[in-house]
């Protein structure tokens, strides 16, 4: 097909959701920014967990906040999930995945919490 034949095709300008059609010069910059931010958050996480400069009980909370920020960076810069109208299916798939992970974690925690209660009492010492 020639270039003029492609332009006459009614689907010539269509793009798939998430396809940005960037110039070759600007395409890697989003990934590089995401990589630098992800590496920075990883370094901060290691620094917080291995230092005594941070109040001890606040370390788990800080690590959780940094992990959530890390997930956000991965979603935006690498998976290109945004709130644009063409990303509705991606956001729904992500929400469904988060729901499944939450259900698995909640079920596992519930089973482990009730495991000791549901076990038979041990009356005879083993030995």
């Amino acid at each position: 097909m020639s270039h003029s034949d492609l332009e006459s095709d009614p689907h010539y300008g269509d793009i798939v959701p998430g396809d940005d059609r960037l110039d070759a010069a600007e395409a890697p910059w989003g990934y590089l920014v995401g990589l630098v931010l992800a590496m920075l958050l990883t370094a901060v996480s290691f620094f917080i967990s291995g230092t005594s400069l941070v109040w001890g009980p606040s370390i788990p909370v800080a690590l959780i906040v940094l992990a959530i920020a890390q997930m956000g960076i991965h979603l935006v810069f690498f998976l290109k999930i945004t709130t644009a109208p063409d990303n509705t299916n991606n956001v729904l798939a992500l929400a469904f995945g988060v729901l499944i992970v939450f259900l698995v974690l909640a079920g596992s925690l519930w089973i482990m919490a009730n495991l000791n209660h549901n076990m038979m009492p041990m009356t005879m010492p083993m030995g």
Side-chain angles (χ1 to χ4, degrees), residues 30-71:
Y31 292 108
L32 290 175
V33 169
L35 176 66
V36 169
L37 289 174
M39 289 173 48
L40 181 68
L41 285 176
T42 302
V44 170
S45 297
F46 277 106
F47 175 75
I48 285 177
S49 65
T51 186
S52 62
L53 296 174
V54 180
W55 182 51
S58 69
I59 290 176
V61 174
L63 292 177
I64 289 171
V65 168
L66 289 170
I68 292 171
Q70 183 90 270
M71 286 187 280

Side-chain angles (χ1 to χ4, degrees), residues 27-123:
W29 290 111
Y31 292 108
L32 290 175
V33 169
L35 176 66
V36 169
L37 289 174
M39 289 173 48
L40 181 68
L41 285 176
T42 302
V44 170
S45 297
F46 277 106
F47 175 75
I48 285 177
S49 65
T51 186
S52 62
L53 296 174
V54 180
W55 182 51
S58 69
I59 290 176
V61 174
L63 292 177
I64 289 171
V65 168
L66 289 170
I68 292 171
Q70 183 90 270
M71 286 187 280
I73 285 173
H74 285 273
L75 290 173
V76 172
F77 287 100
F78 300 121
L79 296 177
K80 305 290 186 193
I81 292 182
T82 62
T83 57
D86 63 344
N87 279 332
T88 304
N89 289 337
N90 291 344
V91 173
L92 288 175
L94 176 66
F96 182 71
V98 168
L99 175 69
I100 295 299
V101 168
F102 173 76
L103 289 175
V104 168
L105 284 174
S108 298
L109 289 173
W110 181 64
I111 288 172
M112 287 188 291
N114 292 316
L115 187 63
N116 191 29
H117 176 70
N118 293 334
M119 291 181 66
M120 289 179 52
M122 196 158 119
T123 56

